[in-house]
């Protein structure tokens, strides 16, 4: 392994995984816990896999402090399926739901909910280029729920405190790209979901955390794979689950615990994001961040250079320096550094060193 060359991986998703986790998966790949089989080859009803999924759940409960009146599910279809599925389950027929639109992902979530019924924007920051958290919300007191996207992966804006719904309106959150990046008070939420591949594992599994009363909303006529009540009651084992992805997510939860938990992880994430934002702020306008300072994401940092030509060159030269995945999303343009949990301080520092060097040569 001494000649192993790992990239400094700033991909937005699938994103970087901790090296230790990959090494553990590699060491267990051919013979999982003495079974003589890979975890991919064993029954999802075996006692070995039961331990995998139960440990993953228990570790997540511990990491996030999830109370016992919440169920945890490991589902397929990505966060994108949740956009539709949560509307089908949590919004009674004829009712409306509220969405806070702060970027590309919440915009899609609202659109999906509108295909199936009534949903409205309680705020929409598109006119500002999705660079901020809305100061004011226009809330419907009868809304079935209030949905928000904790971190907008493309626009790089993040909520650092939850929006406050009106009394009796459950708070629903897409936390795909800042899941387990810092502590949150789950008791403020009724329903939380996250595709794993940004911060918690490989693609193929979506973690859903649902308060028990939310499961009572599931209508009787839903196809079973869209029915939270049944899926939760079966412990995510109604049919064959994405077993390898669940195993990997479980290893990431264990890794997160070894780092000292989410408070310790947040500290490191603040150091990493701080390095990059400081480099932007100290560049005299050569680098320009997208989000307003108070809304700046700790996970995804989109920024522009003086010209598209320089941005092309930046991406190319960064790649030569082993800094991968920095091209921004086409809708925002420019660059984007995703500094998820598994990106090291050393990785962020390498990026900052490169940014300074690049500006010296091209500024
Ligand atoms: C990536 C992402 C999604 C979509 O996730 P899929 O798993 O690809 O469906 C939804 N919301 C946010 C915030 C994301 O970052």
């Amino acid at each position: 392994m001494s000649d192993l060359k790992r990239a400094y991986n700033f991909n937005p998703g699938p994103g970087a995984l901790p090296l230790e986790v990959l090494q553990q998966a590699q060491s267990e790949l051919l013979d999982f816990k003495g079974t003589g089989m890979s975890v991919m080859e064993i029954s999802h009803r075996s006692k070995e896999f039961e331990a995998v999924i139960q440990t993953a759940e228990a570790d997540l409960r511990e990491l996030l402090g999830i109370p016992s009146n919440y169920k945890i599910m490991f589902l397929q279809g990505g966060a994108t399926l949740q956009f539709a599925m949560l509307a089908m389950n949590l919004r009674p027929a004829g009712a409306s739901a509220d969405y806070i639109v702060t970027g590309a992902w919440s915009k899609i979530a609202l659109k999906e909910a509108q295909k199936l019924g009534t949903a409205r924007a309680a705020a929409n920051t598109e006119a500002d280029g999705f660079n901020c958290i809305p100061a004011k919300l226009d809330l419907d007191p009868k809304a079935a729920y209030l949905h928000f996207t904790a971190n907008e992966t493309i626009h790089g804006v993040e909520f650092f405190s939850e929006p406050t719904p009106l009394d009796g309106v459950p708070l629903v959150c897409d936390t795909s790209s800042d899941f387990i990046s810092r502590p949150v008070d789950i008791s403020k939420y009724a329903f939380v979901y996250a595709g794993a591949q940004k911060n918690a594992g490989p693609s193929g599994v979506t973690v859903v955390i649902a308060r028990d009363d939310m499961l009572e909303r599931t209508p009787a006529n839903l196809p079973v794979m869209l029915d939270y009540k049944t899926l939760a009651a079966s412990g995510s084992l109604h049919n064959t689950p994405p077993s390898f992805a669940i195993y990997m997510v479980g290893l990431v939860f264990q890794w997160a615990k070894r780092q000292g938990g989410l408070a310790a992880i947040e500290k490191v994430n603040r150091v990493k994001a701080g390095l990059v934002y400081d480099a932007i702020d100290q560049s005299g306008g050569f680098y320009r961040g997208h989000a307003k300072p108070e809304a700046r994401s700790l996970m995804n940092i989109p920024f522009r250079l003086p010209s598209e030509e320089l941005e092309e060159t930046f991406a190319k030269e960064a790649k030569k320096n082993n800094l991968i995945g920095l091209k921004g999303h086409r809708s925002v343009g420019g660059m984007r550094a995703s500094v998820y949990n598994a990106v090291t301080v050393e990785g962020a520092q390498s990026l900052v060193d490169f940014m300074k060097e690049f500006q010296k040569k091209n500024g």
Side-chain angles (χ1 to χ4, degrees):
M1 294 283 265
S2 57
D3 56 355
L4 176 70
K5 181 179 174 266
R6 293 271 298 162
Y8 290 123
N9 182 354
F10 299 96
N11 275 319
L17 286 168
L19 179 59
E20 273 176 43
V21 164
L22 294 171
Q23 285 171 332
Q24 187 179 346
Q26 183 181 45
S27 76
E28 295 179 334
L29 188 70
L30 301 183
D31 178 10
F32 181 67
K33 310 256 183 234
T35 58
M37 294 174 277
S38 161
V39 70
M40 286 181 272
E41 299 174 288
I42 63 175
S43 167
H44 59 292
R45 314 236 178 249
S46 63
K47 68 175 189 329
E48 287 83 5
F49 188 73
E50 215 164 77
V52 168
I53 195 165
Q54 284 171 5
T55 306
E57 178 180 331
D59 286 339
L60 180 59
R61 254 183 219 285
E62 186 182 328
L63 276 172
L64 268 172
I66 301 171
S68 60
N69 62 324
Y70 289 73
K71 297 282 185 292
I72 296 172
M73 289 172 261
F74 298 99
L75 306 181
Q76 302 192 54
T80 304
L81 180 60
Q82 293 311 307
F83 295 161
M85 199 167 155
L86 74 89
M88 288 172 164
N89 281 265
L90 306 183
R91 180 181 55 189
S96 176
D98 271 358
Y99 282 72
I100 303 176
V101 180
T102 49
W105 288 113
S106 45
K107 189 178 169 180
I108 300 172
L110 170 60
K111 212 168 155 193
E112 285 291 283
Q114 285 173 333
K115 287 181 187 167
L116 300 158
T118 310
R120 60 190 277 283
N124 188 333
T125 61
E126 188 160 16
D128 304 309
F130 289 140
N131 68 354
C132 59
I133 298 301
K136 277 217 304 248
L137 303 175
D138 163 30
L139 296 170
D140 172 3
K142 287 201 226 121
Y145 55 82
L146 172 65
H147 179 285
F148 78 109
T149 302
N151 182 64
E152 285 284 357
T153 319
I154 291 172
H155 292 89
V157 298
E158 185 167 5
F159 282 84
F160 292 104
S161 60
E162 294 80 4
T164 311
L166 296 177
D167 266 355
V169 176
L171 188 62
V172 171
C173 178
D174 175 0
T175 183
S176 291
S177 52
D178 65 352
F179 185 54
I180 64 166
S181 67
R182 56 190 169 88
V184 293
D185 179 358
I186 288 287
S187 70
K188 291 184 177 163
Y189 300 77
F191 186 91
V192 175
Y193 62 103
Q197 72 273 17
K198 308 289 164 59
N199 220 2
S203 62
V205 66
T206 304
V207 180
V208 173
I209 304 164
R211 205 172 61 203
D212 286 343
D213 58 309
M214 293 296 106
L215 300 172
E216 295 311 315
R217 293 186 174 204
T218 296
N221 62 346
L222 284 185
V224 67
M225 289 311 290
L226 302 176
D227 170 338
Y228 290 134
K229 193 174 184 179
T230 304
L231 295 170
S234 71
S236 307
L237 294 171
H238 177 77
N239 72 334
T240 318
S243 45
F244 189 72
I246 293 170
Y247 159 76
M248 289 295 293
V249 163
L251 294 187
V252 172
F253 294 158
Q254 284 167 20
W255 172 86
K257 281 171 58 178
R258 291 198 300 278
Q259 307 312 299
L262 300 189
I265 285 178
E266 175 176 9
K267 264 192 204 149
V268 179
N269 285 335
R270 286 195 179 276
V271 169
K272 288 169 353 196
L275 284 168
V276 181
Y277 285 121
D278 283 350
I280 291 171
D281 292 343
Q282 291 161 9
S283 72
F286 184 78
Y287 298 111
R288 282 170 295 123
H290 177 77
K292 286 196 176 161
E294 64 277 11
R296 283 173 162 179
S297 165
L298 294 178
M299 295 284 104
N300 308 97
I301 307 175
F303 58 95
R304 305 292 314 243
L305 275 72
S307 71
E308 285 186 16
E309 213 179 320
L310 274 176
E311 288 169 352
E312 284 284 318
T313 316
F314 183 97
K316 254 188 234 150
E317 285 187 19
K319 200 166 169 190
K320 276 191 216 146
N321 284 271
N322 203 27
L323 303 160
I324 307 300
L326 289 164
K327 210 169 153 34
H329 191 271
R330 59 193 180 279
S331 63
V332 178
M335 321 310 304
R336 171 175 46 168
S338 297
V339 283
Y340 295 128
N341 285 358
V343 173
T344 58
V345 173
E346 184 203 342
Q349 186 61 53
S350 299
L351 170 61
V352 164
D353 293 345
F354 173 79
M355 287 169 74
K356 291 191 172 152
E357 207 41 51
F358 187 86
Q359 184 180 359
K360 239 189 247 161
K361 273 194 272 172
N362 299 280

